[in-house]
């Protein structure tokens, strides 16, 4: 539901520029979903491992699992970032882009893809919260990541009248979500230390 609400709000903001801008955002969402598939698969594998080791009291294994998942997800997203930066035209051709779409979409992909490494960290930490019984932290990160950060930032940046500034909202919101996830992770680690 969060993704749909975010898409609706972002489309309303982007319609102030052009329908092609909304189509470019739709392409980004499809490519982003494809990029995140391995990270979500990684989450599905790590959640039971983290939960089992947490239940067994093996916190060193919990930390190793999270760090390994973070490393793999971060490296994967950095590689995908390079692909998006080097091949935006080829990616847009997959969607039968028009000349206007190439003009808008190339800039959109080159800017929004900068969010991928930040998002990887936020997603991995978010799933680790869930595995460690802190599902409210997961909800908080996801709400902020997809709605509470993204939409207001995009709206504020749209007031500049420059479409490329709106694309930066994706990067800024993912970076802020990563910082929030790191803060919550530190809080959780301190809480565990008190137990």
């Amino acid at each position: 539901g969060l993704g749909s609400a975010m898409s609706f709000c972002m489309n309303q903001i982007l319609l102030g520029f052009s329908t092609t801008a909304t189509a470019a955002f739709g392409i980004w969402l499809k490519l982003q979903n494809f990029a995140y598939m391995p990270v979500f698969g990684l989450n599905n594998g790590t959640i039971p491992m983290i939960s089992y080791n947490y239940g067994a009291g093996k916190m060193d294994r919990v930390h190793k699992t999270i760090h390994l998942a973070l490393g793999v997800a971060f490296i994967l997203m950095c590689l995908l970032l390079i692909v998006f930066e080097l091949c935006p035209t080829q990616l847009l051709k997959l969607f039968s882009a028009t000349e206007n779409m190439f003009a808008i979409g190339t800039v959109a992909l080159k800017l929004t893809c900068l969010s991928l490494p930040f998002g990887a960290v936020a997603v991995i930490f978010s799933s680790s919260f869930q595995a460690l019984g802190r599902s409210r932290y997961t909800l908080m990160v996801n709400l902020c990541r997809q709605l509470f950060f993204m939409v207001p930032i995009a709206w504020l940046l749209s007031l500049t009248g420059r479409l490329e500034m709106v694309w930066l909202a994706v990067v800024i919101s993912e970076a802020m979500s990563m910082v929030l996830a790191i803060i919550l992770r530190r809080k959780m680690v301190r809480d565990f230390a008190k137990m």
Side-chain angles (χ1 to χ4, degrees):
L2 287 176
S4 297
M6 181 270 294
S7 294
F8 174 78
C9 294
M10 287 296 291
N11 283 336
Q12 295 306 304
I13 293 166
L14 291 168
L15 278 172
F17 292 93
S18 69
T19 54
T20 307
T22 61
F25 187 70
I27 290 172
W28 161 249
L29 289 178
K30 287 176 180 61
L31 291 171
Q32 180 191 42
N33 287 340
F34 181 75
Y36 275 101
M37 285 171 106
V39 175
F40 290 130
L42 192 60
N43 278 349
N44 291 338
T46 58
I47 287 174
M49 292 170 62
I50 293 168
S51 296
Y52 172 79
N53 286 301
Y54 173 60
K58 298 178 181 179
M59 291 307 286
D60 59 323
R61 286 188 174 185
V62 168
H63 294 301
K64 282 180 185 176
T65 303
I66 293 169
H67 289 134
L68 181 61
L70 273 174
V72 170
F74 187 78
I75 290 168
L76 176 65
M77 288 306 194
C78 286
L79 292 173
L80 287 171
L81 183 152
I82 292 167
V83 170
F84 278 50
E85 283 290 334
L86 295 177
C87 308
T89 305
Q90 289 82 351
L91 292 169
L92 289 168
K93 283 181 182 176
L94 296 172
F95 298 91
S96 303
T98 62
E99 287 303 315
N100 194 25
M101 174 60 78
F102 280 121
I104 291 173
T106 301
V107 175
L109 289 183
K110 283 180 165 276
L111 291 175
T112 53
C113 74
L114 298 173
S115 68
L116 292 173
F118 302 124
V121 174
V123 167
I124 294 295
F125 275 147
S126 182
S127 66
S128 72
F129 298 148
Q130 181 183 344
L132 295 168
R134 299 293 192 276
S135 52
R136 67 183 180 279
Y137 290 177
T138 301
L139 179 62
M140 193 183 311
V141 170
N142 287 330
L143 280 170
C144 289
R145 189 171 163 255
Q146 294 195 4
L147 203 58
F148 297 153
F149 290 160
M150 174 87 79
V151 174
I153 292 169
W155 178 76
L156 284 172
L157 292 174
S158 73
L159 298 177
T160 65
R162 296 175 56 203
L163 180 57
E164 62 273 10
M165 296 299 289
V166 179
W167 302 131
L168 287 177
V170 176
V171 181
I172 295 167
S173 67
E174 290 286 18
M176 290 173 63
S177 299
M178 181 189 75
V179 170
L180 174 63
I182 290 169
I183 291 168
L184 292 173
R185 164 101 170 126
R186 287 185 176 165
K187 182 183 182 324
M188 184 179 67
V189 168
R190 281 195 306 270
D191 291 346
F192 285 151
K194 292 175 187 174
M195 293 178 163

